[in-house]
């Protein structure tokens, strides 16, 4: 009756979100007086999961599963939940986890709460806090089914070391027809992505044109951050849609969000509201973003950002 | 090809969000409702299939009579007919179960829904619908091509995109990218006049019990005043981010 967690890996190595959901699962298991079992698909060394509180790992190894498939992965998770008699199943808020979760919910007849930001305030009834209205509000939700499925928001819980055994056990579930087959993957390499980023540097129309993005990228490089943009910038084709942050773009729950030349339309603010610390650099002191920001500089980005890059380089060199 | 587009009736993206009845209900006072933006991209893509490849396009919403102007707007954009399942959309499972009945009775090849609605952001209905109807499912879909019985879709993944092949019956969780923002359609007068004459069928719901309940809403804690830093003193920002905010 352990808490079950899906731990994502890529080329055999666990992603940060896997360790975060493991940390969260341990906190939930402690509340319920039970243990944590992780499902790891084609991961090489699973011992690190013990560092984050996982007691047991069900290792699934099958080359057919090298590429993510929502239907197959959901079926594997459902079989694991049945084997472990799990009442709580936890996944992350990655694109893949949120793809498989509703299929898993149907498979397990489980009530599903996504975008969860805290440990349950109660486990009977099972009550969680989740974001709603694209971060403009929170929704306190109860899950009323025997099996509960939770998707944890990124950066909401953090990594908590909590040593456990992580005893590995081979698991060979039946694998269903895929139905959807991956033909090709086009992934950015060597760059921090918005999905993985703890820091995001974002530019708006105030940067005047795509040719000026060099300093945004340089600032992101110094900070180990991802780059992003406002909706007008992606609509104008200065930056790809995948960088558009906001209500109809990507939500960002970073530890630090730096907005350069972005005025702060309500739809943009909704998209970044879950970020912990917000910095705004804008020439207009009346820009709405200053009301939402923690730190602000009223000034010309073309003067401020190069100075900030230099100061940060010096700071990093001293660390 | 028979297409069904699921339409959520949501507050406009500029809406201020408030709650009533002891923070248990969304306050609709003064709120303009629109087609969920993620669904609007899907509706426009469905119109493209209708015009270029030949397809019928129905739209569906699960909700009360107040959602009918939103369905009429979808008809004005070009959908052939509309269906409203007359029940409160209490949770994602209830909605998915109602939609599953519509899909099974209608024999649709392709169902396009938004990857999530911008109100509850559950992101569960398209996947649950696929699960309930044993259809193939592609989420966060940013490209969709149909060639006979073969479907090629592009979906956004963390850090990139992937191309997949699949077949009907198929449910799509769509978003911006299915069509360009500039290609979204605004109903013209002719479309609005025609929409009045198009069929809007109201169906009774099937029995479904909500698996989750939204018991209370909270708004984020009020924000403190911004700390303004002089543009000539960028050192201070680095200092505050390191020592006060502890994020670098």
């Amino acid at each position: 009756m352990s808490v079950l967690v899906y731990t994502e890996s890529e080329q055999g190595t666990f992603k940060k979100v896997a360790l975060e959901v493991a940390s969260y699962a341990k906190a939930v298991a402690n509340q319920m007086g039970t243990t944590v079992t992780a499902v790891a698909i084609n991961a090489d060394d699973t011992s690190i999961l013990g560092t984050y509180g996982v007691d047991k790992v069900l290792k699934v190894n099958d080359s057919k599963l090298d590429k993510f498939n929502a239907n197959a992965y959901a079926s594997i998770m459902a079989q694991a939940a049945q084997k472990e008699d799990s009442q709580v199943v936890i996944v992350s808020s990655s694109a893949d986890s949120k793809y498989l979760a509703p299929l898993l919910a149907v498979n397990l007849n489980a009530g599903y709460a996504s975008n969860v930001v805290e440990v349950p305030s109660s486990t009977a009834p099972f009550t969680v806090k989740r974001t709603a209205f694209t971060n403009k509000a929170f929704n306190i939700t109860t899950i009323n089914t025997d099996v509960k499925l939770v998707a944890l928001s990124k950066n909401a819980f953090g990594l908590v070391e909590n040593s456990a055994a992580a005893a590995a056990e081979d698991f060979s579930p039946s694998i269903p027809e895929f139905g959807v087959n991956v033909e090709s993957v086009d992934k950015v390499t060597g760059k921090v992505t918005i999905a993985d980023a703890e820091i995001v540097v974002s530019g708006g129309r105030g940067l005047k044109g795509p040719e000026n993005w060099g300093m945004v990228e340089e600032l992101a490089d110094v900070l180990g951050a991802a780059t992003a943009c406002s909706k007008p910038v992606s609509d104008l084709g200065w930056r790809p849609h995948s960088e558009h942050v906001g209500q109809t773009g990507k939500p960002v729950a970073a530890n630090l969000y730096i907005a350069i030349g972005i005025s702060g339309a309500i739809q943009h603010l909704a998209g970044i509201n879950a970020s912990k610390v917000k910095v705004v650099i804008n020439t207009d002191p009346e820009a709405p973003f200053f009301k939402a920001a923690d730190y602000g500089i009223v000034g010309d980005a073309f003067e401020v950002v190069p100075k900030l890059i230099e100061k940060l380089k010096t700071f990093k060199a001293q660390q | 090809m028979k297409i069904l587009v699921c339409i959520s009736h949501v507050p406009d993206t500029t809406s201020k969000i408030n709650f009533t009845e002891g923070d248990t209900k969304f306050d609709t006072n003064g709120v303009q409702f629109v087609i969920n933006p993620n669904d609007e991209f899907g509706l426009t893509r469905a119109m493209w299939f209708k015009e270029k490849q030949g397809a019928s396009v129905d739209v569906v919403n699960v909700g009360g009579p107040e959602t009918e102007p939103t369905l009429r707007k979808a008809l004005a954009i070009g959908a052939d007919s509309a269906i409203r399942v007359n029940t409160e959309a209490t949770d994602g499972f209830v909605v998915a179960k109602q939609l599953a009945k519509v899909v099974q009775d209608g024999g649709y090849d392709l169902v396009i829904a938004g990857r999530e609605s911008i109100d509850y952001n559950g992101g569960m209905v398209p996947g649950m619908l696929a699960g309930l109807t044993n259809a193939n499912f592609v989420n966060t879909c940013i490209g969709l091509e149909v060639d006979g019985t073969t479907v090629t879709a592009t979906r956004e993944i963390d850090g990139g995109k992937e191309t997949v092949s699949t077949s009907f019956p198929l449910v799509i969780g769509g978003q911006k990218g299915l069509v360009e923002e500039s290609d979204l359609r605004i109903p013209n007068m002719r479309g609005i006049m025609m929409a009045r004459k198009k069929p809007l069928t109201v169906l009774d719901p099937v029995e479904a019990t909500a698996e989750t309940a939204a018991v209370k809403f909270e708004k984020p804690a009020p924000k403190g005043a911004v700390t303004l830093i002089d543009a000539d003193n960028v050192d201070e920002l680095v200092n505050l981010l390191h020592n006060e905010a502890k994020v670098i």
Side-chain angles (χ1 to χ4, degrees):
Chain A
M1 107 108 200
S2 57
V3 171
L4 189 73
V5 59
Y6 167 52
T7 50
E8 289 180 49
S9 57
E10 192 164 47
Q11 291 172 335
T13 305
F14 290 105
K15 296 183 189 175
K16 186 190 157 211
V17 289
L19 308 180
E20 195 173 3
V21 288
S23 303
Y24 179 84
K26 180 65 177 175
V28 176
N30 284 346
Q31 283 182 321
M32 302 180 75
T34 185
T35 56
V36 178
T37 298
V39 175
I41 299 172
N42 288 351
D44 301 330
D45 179 3
T46 57
S47 59
I48 191 173
L49 296 177
T51 310
Y52 296 94
V54 171
D55 299 285
K56 178 171 151 188
V57 185
L58 298 178
K59 287 185 75 165
V60 182
N61 283 298
D62 191 321
S63 59
K64 287 203 291 288
L65 301 169
D66 278 345
K67 286 181 180 147
F68 173 82
N69 178 274
N71 203 36
Y73 279 44
S75 172
I76 290 165
M77 285 299 294
Q79 291 171 66
Q82 276 145 10
K83 171 178 152 56
E84 294 293 304
D85 190 23
S86 299
Q87 290 178 1
V88 178
V89 181
I90 299 169
V91 302
S92 83
S93 289
S94 71
D96 285 352
S97 282
K98 287 181 91 170
Y99 186 5
L100 76 83
L103 297 170
L104 177 58
V106 170
N107 216 325
L108 287 174
N109 198 21
Y112 169 40
S114 57
N115 308 320
V116 169
V117 292
E118 290 179 1
V119 290
S121 57
S122 154
T123 53
F126 197 87
T127 308
V128 286
K129 183 175 182 175
R130 59 184 299 277
T131 59
F133 297 94
T134 320
N135 300 317
K136 291 179 189 169
F138 297 105
N139 177 359
I140 311 300
T141 299
T142 58
I143 305 178
N144 305 322
T145 43
D146 291 341
V147 182
K148 289 95 178 159
L149 176 59
V150 166
L152 175 69
S153 277
K154 280 176 190 161
N155 285 329
F157 190 75
L159 301 179
V160 181
E161 292 197 10
N162 210 327
S163 189
E169 179 183 315
D170 287 334
F171 180 48
S172 303
S174 65
I175 299 169
E177 289 291 314
F178 279 14
V180 176
N181 294 293
V182 176
E183 301 296 333
S184 63
V185 178
D186 180 8
K187 216 164 174 180
V188 181
T189 53
K191 194 179 169 202
V192 182
T193 65
I194 295 175
D196 299 325
E198 292 188 7
I199 302 177
V200 174
V201 179
S202 190
R205 228 174 349 188
L207 287 170
K208 296 191 167 70
E211 67 279 8
N212 295 323
W213 241 259
M215 64 180 185
V216 175
E217 281 167 346
E218 193 178 355
L219 178 57
D221 280 346
V222 175
L223 288 166
T227 55
C229 69
S230 65
K231 180 173 179 293
V233 164
S234 83
D235 288 348
L236 286 163
W238 295 358
R239 302 296 293 178
H241 289 316
S242 57
E243 289 197 1
H244 162 202
V245 162
Q247 203 156 6
T248 54
K250 278 198 164 59
V252 170
N255 288 332
L256 172 61
Y257 185 80
I258 301 178
I260 304 165
I262 300 176
S263 61
I266 189 168
Q267 297 95 331
H268 187 84
L269 295 179
I272 60 106
N273 210 17
S275 295
K276 293 192 177 83
V277 176
K278 297 148 206 155
V279 174
V280 59
I281 299 166
N282 203 301
T283 48
D284 177 10
E286 301 300 320
F289 218 136
F290 282 107
K291 289 196 174 69
D294 298 279
Y295 303 105
I297 293 180
V298 179
D300 184 346
F302 296 98
E303 293 171 15
V304 174
V305 175
K307 276 195 273 184
L308 182 58
I309 291 168
E310 289 313 309
K311 298 291 180 193
L312 281 166
K313 279 182 179 168
T314 309
F315 167 78
K316 291 278 179 185
Q318 288 166 351
Q319 292 302 298
Chain B
M1 180 165 44
K2 203 170 172 193
I3 304 174
L4 181 69
V5 182
C6 305
I7 300 285
S8 264
H9 166 84
V10 298
D12 179 74
T13 57
T14 59
S15 302
K16 300 253 191 255
I17 303 300
N18 291 300
F19 302 100
T20 59
E21 299 181 38
D23 290 333
T24 59
K25 294 267 186 289
F26 173 62
D27 184 0
T28 57
N29 209 6
V31 171
Q32 175 85 24
F33 281 82
V34 296
I35 298 174
N36 181 42
N38 290 314
D39 303 344
E40 209 176 349
F41 291 109
L43 177 61
T44 306
R45 189 65 191 160
M47 289 300 108
W48 187 92
F49 284 122
K50 180 180 168 177
E51 289 158 13
K52 307 282 187 195
Q53 294 187 202
S56 68
V57 178
D58 297 340
V59 291
V60 62
N61 169 266
V62 177
E66 71 281 359
T67 72
E68 288 191 6
T70 299
L71 281 174
R72 288 279 175 210
K73 185 179 171 194
L75 291 172
I77 286 170
D80 299 306
S81 72
I83 300 160
R84 178 172 69 81
V85 183
N86 187 30
T87 190
E88 193 184 348
T90 44
D91 86 332
F93 179 72
V94 168
V95 172
K97 207 159 177 195
Q98 305 307 327
L99 294 174
K101 177 77 164 66
V102 172
V103 170
Q104 278 156 348
D105 290 353
Y108 292 96
D109 304 299
L110 172 64
V111 181
I112 307 180
R115 68 152 202 246
E116 67 176 23
S117 64
I118 61 162
D119 48 6
Y120 290 92
N121 305 119
M124 62 183 78
V125 170
M128 284 182 167
L129 176 57
L132 290 169
T133 58
N134 288 317
N136 293 321
F137 175 45
V138 178
N139 204 21
T140 53
C141 187
I142 53 172
L144 184 63
E145 304 290 339
V146 176
D147 182 5
T149 56
T150 304
V151 181
T152 307
T154 309
R155 77 173 195 98
E156 193 168 274
I157 57 175
D158 289 338
K161 57 189 178 181
E162 69 180 19
T163 303
V164 298
S165 61
T166 186
S167 58
F168 296 139
L170 173 67
V171 177
I172 292 293
Q175 62 180 61
K176 182 178 176 181
L178 264 180
V179 296
E180 293 302 316
E181 181 111 6
S182 54
D183 290 335
L184 290 176
R185 298 181 182 196
I186 299 165
N188 57 26
M189 189 48 73
R190 184 162 174 270
I192 292 166
M193 298 301 286
M194 285 173 69
R196 291 181 185 166
K197 294 180 186 157
K198 289 179 179 175
L200 192 162
T201 309
V202 179
L203 299 177
D204 288 331
V206 293
E207 199 177 316
T209 308
E211 296 175 328
T212 58
V215 290
K216 202 169 190 303
F217 293 93
E218 288 175 3
K219 291 178 75 170
K223 185 95 196 49
V226 61
T227 301
L228 284 177
I229 296 142
D230 194 283
D232 294 325
N233 192 13
V234 176
D235 263 341
E236 179 62 7
L237 178 62
V238 175
N239 174 41
L240 288 167
L241 291 177
H242 180 60
N243 292 312
E244 186 176 83
K246 301 188 190 308
V247 286
I248 61 170

